[in-house]
Amino acid sequence: MMSLPVSFAAGCVAIHDRGGPVVKTAVGILGALLVAASPALAQDVTGSLQGRVRSAEDVPLAGAQVTVHGPNLLGSRSAVTDRGGVFQLLAVPVGSYEVRIELLGHQPAVYQDVAVRLAQTTTLSDIRLQVEAIELPSLIVWGERPVIDLTTTVIGAGIESEFFETLPSDRDYRSILAQLPQANTSFYGDEANIGGATGLENMYYIDGVNVTDPGFNFNDFGGTAGMGLPYNFIQAIDLKEGGYQAEFGNTLGGIVNVITYSGGNQFRAEGFGYFSGSGLSGDARPGAADIVPQDFTTWDVGVSLGGPIARDRLWYSAAYNPKFTSQNIDIPGAGVHQDELTTHQFAGKLTWQISDRSEATFTVLGDPSVHHIASPALASGEPFTSVVNPDPLLGFEEQGGTSLSLAGQTMFSQNLLLEGTLYRYSRRSNLTGDTEIGRAEPLLNDLDVLSLSGGLREDNDRNSSRTGFRVAATRFAGNHTLKAGVEYQDNRSKARLSFKTPGSMRRFSQTQLDTAGMSVTDTVYLALVADLDNTVHNRVPTVYVQDSWLIGTRWRLNAGLRWDGQYLSGPAESQSITDQFQPRLGLIFQPGTLGTQKIFGSYGRYYQQFTTAWAAQLFGGFDNRLLTYVNVDPRVFPDSIAGEFVATEPCCAGSPSVDGLKGEGTDEFVLGYERAVGSHLLLNIQGIRRVLRAAVGTGLDANTELFVLGNLGEGDIDFIPQAKRTYTALQLTAGWLSPRLNVTGSYVLSRSEGNYTGQFDSDAGMTNPGNFLSLQLESQGTNSTGLLPNDRTHAFKLSGSYRFDFGLDLGTFFVWQSGTPLNEFGATGLFRPIFLVERGSAGRTPSIWDLNLRFAYNLRGLVRTGPSSRIVLDVLHLGSQRSPVWVDQQKFLAVDPAQANFLSSYEELVAAQSIPNPDFGAPLRNQLPMMVRLGIVVGF
């Protein structure tokens, strides 16, 4: 696993004298043989330490006592070497440790500052004890070169607080994703795209709990896939791109794993405050999809503390981090209105050592927010140039959630670790009008003069939760590390959505009525009536087994098998996906000097867990009707309906279940080489290829004019092309660690191509599981295969920090990357595009670069505060070109109804294209302008 500089661990070093029974419990749970494993704890909340103790004559030494001490460890931890001189300490908290090795008749050895990293195994590979003829002082050993994790084929990065606090970022752990070599910031509305996947295909964990929103992950007003967390409460972040073991799954993208501070025997407190505003920002260059404030201010303040309740027995830690953003939004036709967002992020943890062998942790996290919204996006795409009253564009939203977890672990014996976790994560998103008119009246769009009036288009209240448990057992048996586990999740969403009766309305223009053959003296309204109130579930059981087998001294074989099921249900229908067996295989070879390099390869199969939005849309039951009124105002006479059309979306009657439905899965192949050069340099080269196995969607049956559920290109929707998505990449990475300079640079050459974008529909900039805007019509198949929207051929990244003698830390993050492919979309009349030319062949957006700097001055010695006190100056997007990163690719806006409709052939639709888009090729979104942020941190 390639790490950023701070993840270079001390310990795998040469010695310098400077003076000074089978797991029956797990088998019973699983009902299978325990044949597979990984040295790290499930969901990676800790790391591991292992080594081999030998004599000066290279003879393995059995019975040596290995004892570990450190400030992040309750008490101490010990192990005894086996017949091969091998020891392993599992579930060691992240931190720096002293490791003492003792054996009667031999000179003791003490390793200082041995770093245990999150989700990694630190290997002490050259421990030699000298025969003690007379009593000698302990041999003191210091680490002098970076450590390679010799147990894993994972590709990704580990970052700890002492490093990421020196880097410029958005003060959000999710933004750290952008520093992964194969992660690219998405400008379409989802989060970072990793390995050809979309933002909705990432998973987020905090302290071992999955905090990915199980329901509706994104919206137009700041929704995110993972919950927020006080940034100064984070101890370490582990980012996995691929090659990971069978204990991890439910994603086709990346895994973001965060652990928080657990207190300690010493009291620790920190207060902080950060500020930015329009006076510290450059001028924006807005695109059509951007909302640019006239002026804004942001405050990010908080406090964190931790320490002992009982030394070496019970620790606590807590943090509170409110954030305040206020901005004035100039809404065309509606004037300037204030948009205010307040978020209250909090976290707390109790860590209790029940006995010398057992430990329990209780964690609570939360990020509730309230948002007074001023945005034209609240009109949901309705065209307008003027506003009679601003209420349709003013909303009030409550978002955020809480996470509760209770985790325990016990060393049942020296070589057997048992662990378990109970957890519940809940999240709410509630949107309503911000004014009395906005809450009471329906929206009216007068298309004759393009003006809005009335109230907010819709009210909705979405509550989602994930309740679950997991248990696992890890056994260290000689050259095998065996692990097995079981997990169960109940992902639940209760959603209520309604358009006020008679609904969101359009009053047609005279031109539109004349085209439709109606008298221009008629007054025609079209009202949308939508009502949804349901509860849906996605219940996900998981079983996995693993083995990590050290074959001799140079070869290691990792093998495992994972199975997930998905059982989706709603009031209208249910669907099960059960054929999700996921083999994992990895091989590691150490050439040359042990511990200095490795060659590795892996194969794995991964499946994506669907959000409950997918189940709600398909199986929830949804009243969705279009009502026509002629010469009658529906606000006054709602029952005087001239016509009614029941929408043909699959949600409306409940889509029937599909026998043998396959989940969305990917096969992944990884090959890599990693090497430590000297005392400071780590080099890595990796190749990766991912191939999509199947995708789930809906197709519009031309005979029934109904949407049908299935795997794209198969069964009842075989008129849609089979889903294709491949990602191929070559990654080169180099990292340097020294007392002053930490730096990592990477270059990725990649290609992402196919006809299926993923869980997020980047073609439309919309969440795909709830809208299904990818291929649905037979006519969309032509020209649909090519370069995908998140393809970036070249990406170069550089991040690092330098420490000056006078207390200044300088950090930077720089990225240069190719632009993304462009399309020429034609209209179909059903909000689904056709490809007028081959996908991705209409050019590219410009290549972009982004430079960010952090200046942090240490206040120690100037004021009576702790070592963490500092003043901070961040310069973000320095020299921003404000180049286009997303452009309008819709070449035509409509089809001539006299020539074709959405059920017509591709050739007929091409011939019927009408109303050229005057904004075709215009920027929808540009790069952000330069911004300065000021901060101060005071520690005690």
Side-chain angles (χ1 to χ4, degrees):
M1 181 176 180
M2 178 62 191
S3 301
L4 295 177
V6 74
S7 293
F8 294 169
C12 182
V13 296
I15 295 179
H16 298 273
D17 187 350
R18 301 193 178 183
V22 178
V23 191
K24 293 184 179 180
T25 302
V27 173
I29 295 172
L30 297 171
L33 292 176
L34 184 59
V35 295
S38 166
L41 193 65
Q43 310 307 336
D44 282 345
V45 296
T46 60
S48 296
L49 178 67
Q50 69 176 24
R52 186 185 297 269
V53 181
R54 295 174 290 173
S55 69
E57 293 77 25
D58 202 26
V59 177
L61 296 177
Q65 182 78 20
V66 182
T67 307
V68 175
H69 298 272
N72 295 318
L73 184 65
L74 281 163
S76 62
R77 192 78 59 81
S78 63
V80 177
T81 58
D82 63 11
R83 291 181 303 174
V86 176
F87 71 90
Q88 181 155 306
L89 289 156
L90 304 171
V92 180
V94 172
S96 183
Y97 292 94
E98 175 189 279
V99 181
R100 185 178 184 86
I101 301 104
E102 299 173 292
L103 180 62
L104 185 64
H106 293 75
Q107 181 185 10
V110 178
Y111 281 67
Q112 299 281 8
D113 298 329
V114 176
V116 174
R117 305 301 185 190
L118 178 61
Q120 297 188 38
T121 297
T122 300
T123 302
L124 304 178
S125 61
D126 192 21
I127 305 173
R128 295 176 184 265
L129 299 186
Q130 304 292 326
V131 175
E132 185 178 38
I134 60 175
E135 186 174 348
L136 296 173
S138 300
L139 193 66
I140 308 298
V141 182
W142 281 270
E144 290 193 344
R145 68 168 179 248
V147 157
I148 297 172
D149 189 341
L150 304 172
T151 68
T152 181
T153 59
V154 171
I155 55 175
I159 314 176
E160 298 189 10
S161 59
E162 59 263 33
F163 182 55
F164 65 69
E165 70 183 13
T166 68
L167 298 177
S169 70
D170 289 334
R171 288 188 50 78
D172 184 328
Y173 70 89
R174 292 162 298 213
S175 68
I176 300 295
L177 265 177
Q179 299 190 22
L180 275 173
Q182 295 182 45
N184 294 313
T185 299
S186 173
F187 298 97
Y188 298 113
D190 56 333
E191 295 182 339
N193 295 171
I194 299 177
T198 63
L200 273 182
E201 292 163 275
N202 300 326
M203 283 288 171
Y204 298 84
Y205 292 85
I206 300 178
D207 287 331
V209 175
N210 186 345
V211 294
T212 314
D213 187 350
F216 298 79
N217 296 67
F218 296 93
N219 62 31
D220 294 326
F221 319 112
T224 56
M227 77 180 306
L229 184 68
Y231 199 63
N232 289 46
F233 197 58
I234 298 173
Q235 184 181 8
I237 305 173
D238 174 56
L239 309 172
K240 289 182 173 64
E241 297 180 60
Y244 37 83
Q245 309 93 324
E247 62 186 299
F248 302 103
N250 297 329
T251 175
L252 302 185
I255 293 178
V256 184
N257 185 35
V258 179
I259 62 167
T260 60
Y261 285 105
S262 297
N265 282 328
Q266 300 296 322
F267 176 76
R268 172 185 177 274
E270 189 174 82
F272 57 90
Y274 290 84
F275 169 79
S276 186
S278 51
L280 299 174
S281 177
D283 294 331
R285 185 176 294 164
D290 288 321
I291 301 173
V292 180
Q294 284 191 338
D295 56 81
F296 71 93
T297 59
T298 63
W299 288 94
D300 180 354
V301 299
V303 61
S304 64
L305 51 90
I309 298 175
R311 291 179 61 85
D312 286 326
R313 181 62 63 181
L314 182 61
W315 292 347
Y316 75 94
S317 57
Y320 174 55
N321 178 198
K323 297 183 177 183
F324 309 94
T325 299
S326 178
Q327 50 190 352
N328 291 327
I329 304 296
D330 186 3
I331 302 176
V336 177
H337 295 271
Q338 193 170 53
D339 185 292
E340 294 181 324
L341 172 64
T342 301
T343 304
H344 299 276
Q345 297 181 156
F346 60 86
K349 182 189 287 187
L350 288 174
T351 307
W352 175 32
Q353 187 178 30
I354 303 170
S355 68
D356 291 342
R357 292 180 174 270
S358 302
E359 190 175 295
T361 303
F362 174 73
T363 305
V364 57
L365 310 167
D367 65 343
S369 68
V370 294
H371 192 180
H372 297 273
I373 305 169
S375 172
L378 288 170
S380 299
E382 292 284 350
F384 68 94
T385 57
S386 64
V387 177
V388 176
N389 59 292
D391 307 88
L393 306 178
L394 304 178
F396 176 75
E397 183 177 50
E398 296 175 290
Q399 265 205 0
T402 57
S403 171
L404 299 171
S405 65
L406 177 63
Q409 64 181 46
T410 181
M411 294 300 300
F412 191 77
S413 67
Q414 177 178 309
N415 296 324
L416 177 59
L417 171 68
L418 303 178
E419 55 176 331
T421 304
L422 296 172
Y423 56 88
R424 178 175 174 81
Y425 172 52
S426 58
R427 190 170 188 85
R428 185 187 186 193
S429 176
N430 174 37
L431 176 65
T432 188
D434 201 29
T435 66
E436 185 175 347
I437 292 177
R439 291 185 291 270
E441 295 188 11
L443 171 69
L444 174 63
N445 188 357
D446 190 335
L447 297 180
D448 201 23
V449 293
L450 288 179
S451 67
L452 295 181
S453 62
L456 196 67
R457 185 173 188 261
E458 65 182 74
D459 289 329
N460 63 65
D461 192 358
R462 300 175 172 124
N463 295 272
S464 58
S465 66
R466 176 181 292 109
T467 305
F469 71 88
R470 66 170 179 269
V471 294
T474 306
R475 180 177 173 82
F476 173 53
N479 291 337
H480 292 267
T481 304
L482 307 170
K483 185 166 189 177
V486 60
E487 183 172 2
Y488 178 79
Q489 306 174 50
D490 181 4
N491 301 288
R492 174 184 179 272
S493 285
K494 180 175 176 56
R496 179 194 59 79
L497 179 149
S498 67
F499 292 167
K500 308 173 191 71
T501 303
S504 172
M505 297 177 295
R506 288 184 174 188
R507 181 179 181 272
F508 287 101
S509 67
Q510 292 184 356
T511 301
Q512 292 170 318
L513 293 175
D514 185 54
T515 301
M518 303 184 73
S519 169
V520 295
T521 60
D522 291 334
T523 301
V524 179
Y525 295 85
L526 185 68
L528 174 62
V529 175
D531 185 37
L532 179 151
D533 190 352
N534 61 44
T535 300
V536 297
H537 293 262
N538 185 10
R539 298 177 173 92
V540 183
T542 299
V543 177
Y544 66 87
V545 289
Q546 298 181 162
D547 180 29
S548 184
W549 177 23
L550 182 62
I551 309 171
T553 58
R554 296 187 179 276
W555 292 90
R556 180 179 291 272
L557 177 67
N558 293 336
L561 180 64
R562 178 186 181 93
W563 175 82
D564 294 321
Q566 299 192 65
Y567 297 86
L568 302 111
S569 63
E573 190 53 86
S574 62
Q575 176 70 58
S576 61
I577 303 174
T578 59
D579 188 20
Q580 295 191 164
F581 291 94
Q582 301 157 67
R584 311 284 171 85
L585 185 67
L587 186 64
I588 303 164
F589 172 66
Q590 295 184 61
T593 303
L594 292 176
T596 63
Q597 53 188 315
K598 71 176 181 180
I599 301 171
F600 61 95
S602 71
Y603 162 74
R605 180 170 295 170
Y606 308 92
Y607 281 96
Q608 179 69 38
Q609 179 176 308
F610 286 107
T611 68
T612 48
W614 191 81
Q617 192 78 345
L618 287 171
F619 312 126
F622 188 12
D623 180 19
N624 189 10
R625 293 173 292 140
L626 295 174
L627 307 179
T628 304
Y629 297 82
V630 179
N631 294 325
V632 172
D633 188 335
R635 293 169 295 181
V636 182
F637 303 102
D639 296 327
S640 299
I641 302 170
E644 179 176 344
F645 173 72
V646 178
T648 58
E649 295 292 344
C651 52
C652 307
S655 181
S657 60
V658 178
D659 292 337
L661 185 69
K662 293 180 285 189
E664 296 200 356
T666 292
D667 284 334
E668 177 193 83
F669 304 86
V670 172
L671 184 64
Y673 172 71
E674 190 169 354
R675 179 170 185 170
V677 180
S679 300
H680 305 293
L681 181 62
L682 190 63
L683 301 176
N684 190 293
I685 180 170
Q686 297 166 349
I688 183 172
R689 180 170 174 81
R690 291 176 171 172
V691 180
L692 185 71
R693 293 174 54 81
V696 179
T698 57
L700 183 60
D701 189 313
N703 296 319
T704 64
E705 297 190 12
L706 294 175
F707 284 91
V708 181
L709 172 68
N711 292 117
L712 298 183
E714 302 179 25
D716 292 338
I717 54 172
D718 58 3
F719 54 86
I720 302 294
Q722 188 171 12
K724 299 177 182 178
R725 186 175 75 181
T726 61
Y727 174 78
T728 308
L730 175 67
Q731 172 183 319
L732 305 175
T733 312
W736 179 275
L737 171 68
S738 69
R740 291 183 181 273
L741 177 65
N742 294 339
V743 64
T744 291
S746 67
Y747 166 73
V748 175
L749 174 67
S750 67
R751 174 57 52 92
S752 183
E753 55 190 345
N755 60 15
Y756 180 70
T757 59
Q759 293 285 294
F760 186 87
D761 187 0
S762 305
D763 291 335
M766 300 186 72
T767 303
N768 204 20
N771 291 282
F772 296 103
L773 294 185
S774 287
L775 306 182
Q776 292 184 300
L777 308 175
E778 185 173 359
S779 58
Q780 290 182 282
T782 304
N783 287 331
S784 63
T785 300
L787 298 178
L788 292 172
N790 60 5
D791 175 77
R792 294 187 184 272
T793 307
H794 307 282
F796 171 75
K797 299 181 181 182
L798 182 69
S799 62
S801 63
Y802 184 81
R803 177 158 293 172
F804 293 89
D805 287 334
F806 56 89
L808 177 67
D809 290 340
L810 172 62
T812 186
F813 174 58
F814 172 80
V815 59
W816 176 90
Q817 53 194 2
S818 303
T820 54
L822 296 177
N823 297 293
E824 291 184 4
F825 290 138
T828 62
L830 194 65
F831 310 108
R832 276 77 172 167
I834 57 172
F835 293 85
L836 299 178
V837 298
E838 181 181 322
R839 178 193 279 274
S841 66
R844 283 184 179 266
T845 60
S847 299
I848 58 173
W849 58 266
D850 187 34
L851 175 62
N852 304 273
L853 298 175
R854 165 163 288 197
F855 302 88
Y857 187 74
N858 197 325
L859 297 178
R860 182 170 50 185
L862 299 180
V863 293
R864 299 183 63 183
T865 62
S868 61
S869 299
R870 57 197 179 276
I871 54 175
V872 178
L873 170 66
D874 288 333
V875 184
L876 307 176
H877 318 301
L878 180 62
S880 174
Q881 323 99 291
R882 297 169 296 170
S883 297
V885 291
W886 185 19
V887 302
D888 193 334
Q889 300 171 62
Q890 190 72 41
K891 192 169 185 178
F892 293 94
L893 299 176
V895 293
D896 184 346
Q899 299 184 58
N901 60 40
F902 57 84
L903 292 176
S904 300
S905 69
Y906 176 81
E907 292 75 14
E908 291 171 330
L909 284 169
V910 170
Q913 296 296 304
S914 64
I915 312 180
N917 181 9
D919 296 323
F920 175 67
L924 292 173
R925 181 161 292 138
N926 292 308
Q927 285 179 282
L928 294 173
M930 186 188 76
M931 185 180 74
V932 174
R933 180 172 57 212
L934 304 174
I936 184 169
V937 180
V938 179
F940 301 94

